[in-house]
Amino acid sequence: MSTASTASSPELPPHGGGEAHGGMVKSLSLWNYFTMGFGAIIGTGWVLLVGDWMILGGGPVEAMIAFVLGAVFLLPIGAVFGELTCAIPISGGIVEYVDRTFGPTAAHITGWFLSLGNGILCPWEAIAISSLLATMWSRLDGFGWLTGVKLYDIAGSSVYLWPLLISEAVCVLVIALNFRGASAAAKLSSFLSKALLAGMVLAMVVSLFKGGPGNLMPLFAKVEAAQSGSASGAVTTAGAFLPGVLAVLVMTPFFYTGFDTIPQSAEEASEGLDWKKFGMVISASLLAAGLFYVFCIYAFGTIFPWRQSVAMPVPALASIEKISMWFYLPMLVIGTLGPLGPMNSFYGATARIMLAMGRKGYLPKSFASIDGRTGTPKTANIVLAVATVIGPFLGGNLLIPLTEVSSLSFVFACTMAAAACMKMRWSEPDLPRPYTVPGGKIGIGLAIAAGAVIIALQVLPFSPAALKPTSWVIVVVWVVLGMALRLTVHRARRE
């Protein structure tokens, strides 16, 4: 077993060199990293889907337990990322970790799935903005024009002109910030993290004075389509308390996705950063997000009896609307602006994963290019820009399938990173490690086991939380596309 090093200068990336040499701009502080990760994790899923969590679990208690377990499962994985990133601080480092331990094929598969898991969040958040505009803003006096022009129906949901255009404007803002560089994007994440915390405090105050723990009962109850106000058509498929917990548990990695945006931007750390503290930032962002989610579910599960709340569209907002418009309007603004934070963070993280894959030759050479003026990945930014602007065209009913696919892809990549961390303890025992996983190899083993359990719950057909057919179609298409792209790159090399 290697011993932890206190070195403040971990191994430099092979393509580093700083801004002066055409590398990534080194400008991010520990606080930037924390707000980037925390903002990416909490996003606005709690605004749009807190009712869905209660419906899927059969009650708010099941949802709270699931989110606590989700944080516990992912903490060892967060620690693994902390150790690996502090030792090898490069953009899209997960590709490098797996390549050094299991070879290029495993690294390509891991990077490709992580690109899917993170990249989905950009169109997902764009869909969330459009859905809020169509379902909540359009009900306000003077805002009925938002749904005045219906374009088409897709997968059972309607797409309207003005919510589409406003969502596209938000997408353009995020794209422009990421083309400017990580520093500008990090400032936006910091601001939105504070706004989201303010929204949660507001909800807790309303719950304290207007609600009560008795509204959490019954402990378990099935919610059928007729009693569900879910914008994504969620119903309770579990038949008892424990299956209800599992049904929500397998989705929690999606809502905790975001802490991995921290290591993806490690190459842009400011000079003199304390790397030992950096390793702790990832776990801190996970714990903070876990507390946020539990308080969120409790607040919106107790303002009214929970079965009454989930019958309303977007219960996080509808329940506050019934109490006070003075509380409702700030929450609606926060909920609508909230997607900017995670969309921004995942845009940058996915671009850097693609950058790493380009450097390794898993993607065309153009993906390895960095803009000399802004220090951002050029080709990856363009690809993600296209994917992001497509989001608002897809409709709200794709939110759940995209959630399931992102969760599976993310956990698979995290499990591969944990396996790489374990193997590297033997293959590279002298690698400087400013931060190490608590518990050493036992802690790393727990990370591998946690990832394997969550994957099994999603892929085994007899699991109560197995992926639905639409989600499997997305996964299969992505795998086929990855194989075709790999063959194309190999053919280009031979020629």
Side-chain angles (χ1 to χ4, degrees):
M1 179 184 295
S2 65
T3 56
S5 168
T6 57
S8 60
S9 300
E11 181 177 310
L12 294 175
H15 294 263
E19 184 179 8
H21 296 84
M24 311 296 280
V25 178
K26 300 184 181 299
S27 60
L28 301 181
S29 65
L30 289 173
W31 177 248
N32 287 151
Y33 281 117
F34 175 80
T35 57
M36 180 188 301
F38 179 72
I41 293 172
I42 61 174
T44 128
W46 61 275
V47 175
L48 198 63
L49 296 179
V50 66
D52 289 38
W53 301 341
M54 292 188 276
I55 292 170
L56 291 170
V61 175
E62 290 89 337
M64 285 189 284
I65 292 173
F67 272 91
V68 170
L69 291 176
V72 171
F73 268 87
L74 291 173
L75 269 176
I77 294 176
V80 161
F81 273 98
E83 175 173 321
L84 291 172
T85 307
C86 292
I88 312 171
I90 64 174
S91 293
I94 191 169
V95 178
E96 174 70 16
Y97 314 147
V98 178
D99 182 82
R100 287 167 72 148
T101 50
F102 299 110
T105 299
H108 184 194
I109 295 170
T110 301
W112 190 241
F113 269 96
L114 188 58
S115 297
L116 175 63
N118 280 353
I120 277 178
L121 270 294
C122 298
W124 193 99
E125 299 292 353
I127 295 172
I129 294 173
S130 182
S131 295
L132 282 174
L133 290 168
T135 58
M136 304 307 291
W137 280 97
S138 64
R139 295 165 52 192
L140 296 175
D141 290 341
F143 286 86
W145 52 271
L146 282 168
T147 53
V149 182
K150 181 178 174 180
L151 297 177
Y152 53 87
D153 291 318
I154 180 171
S157 57
S158 301
V159 176
Y160 299 94
L161 175 63
W162 295 111
L164 174 70
L165 292 178
I166 295 170
S167 297
E168 291 295 352
V170 172
C171 293
V172 170
L173 171 62
V174 171
I175 291 166
L177 284 172
N178 278 275
F179 270 90
R180 286 179 58 189
S183 179
K187 290 177 182 177
L188 175 65
S189 293
S190 177
F191 167 75
L192 289 172
S193 294
K194 295 172 184 175
L196 288 164
L197 282 173
M200 190 66 256
V201 170
L202 179 60
M204 287 299 297
V205 170
V206 173
S207 172
L208 181 64
F209 287 100
K210 295 290 184 178
N215 289 333
L216 296 173
M217 298 294 139
L219 198 61
F220 174 83
K222 289 181 73 72
V223 178
E224 308 292 347
Q227 296 88 40
S228 173
S230 168
S232 59
V235 295
T236 308
T237 56
F241 184 89
L242 182 57
V245 172
L246 293 177
V248 182
L249 175 62
V250 296
M251 296 183 66
T252 58
F254 172 84
F255 297 102
Y256 282 117
T257 304
F259 70 82
D260 61 308
T261 62
I262 298 173
Q264 305 310 342
S265 301
E267 199 169 321
E268 291 145 284
S270 59
E271 298 293 343
L273 188 82
D274 187 329
W275 287 98
K276 186 171 184 179
K277 290 182 179 178
F278 176 94
M280 301 175 187
V281 164
I282 299 175
S283 296
S285 66
L286 263 172
L287 289 172
L291 288 173
F292 182 95
Y293 282 135
V294 171
F295 286 141
C296 168
I297 298 166
Y298 178 83
F300 294 112
T302 55
I303 292 176
F304 292 107
W306 73 267
R307 297 190 73 182
Q308 179 182 336
S309 293
V310 300
M312 299 183 285
V314 193
L317 295 173
S319 56
I320 292 180
E321 181 184 15
K322 287 182 173 292
I323 293 172
S324 169
M325 288 297 292
W326 292 103
F327 286 157
Y328 172 65
L329 289 175
M331 279 292 292
L332 183 57
V333 171
I334 292 169
T336 307
L337 291 177
L340 278 166
M343 189 192 301
N344 169 60
S345 297
F346 285 110
Y347 191 109
T350 309
R352 282 145 185 82
I353 296 166
M354 291 181 172
L355 170 70
M357 295 180 72
R359 287 172 170 176
K360 287 290 186 182
Y362 305 149
L363 293 178
K365 289 182 180 179
S366 59
F367 280 86
S369 62
I370 296 176
D371 186 280
R373 183 175 59 86
T374 63
T376 58
K378 292 190 294 186
T379 302
N381 274 349
I382 293 170
V383 171
L384 285 168
V386 174
T388 301
V389 299
I390 289 174
F393 291 91
L394 300 179
N397 278 4
L398 276 178
L399 287 174
I400 294 298
L402 291 177
T403 300
E404 292 179 341
V405 171
S406 179
S407 179
L408 174 64
S409 303
F410 172 68
V411 174
F412 171 78
C414 288
T415 306
M416 289 298 296
C421 185
M422 179 70 83
K423 187 173 181 180
M424 213 175 285
R425 284 295 188 99
W426 278 282
S427 61
E428 301 186 50
D430 298 323
L431 180 70
R433 292 174 171 86
Y435 173 85
T436 55
V437 175
K441 293 174 183 175
I442 295 176
I444 301 171
L446 288 175
I448 297 170
V453 168
I454 296 175
I455 291 171
L457 287 172
Q458 289 181 289
V459 301
L460 294 176
F462 56 80
S463 168
L467 265 63
K468 308 300 184 294
T470 303
S471 302
W472 277 118
V473 169
I474 297 172
V475 171
V476 171
V477 169
W478 188 252
V479 170
V480 171
L481 180 60
M483 292 172 62
L485 192 58
R486 186 165 175 79
L487 289 173
T488 301
V489 171
H490 278 298
R491 187 178 298 114
R493 282 181 172 180
R494 287 196 300 269
E495 292 176 353

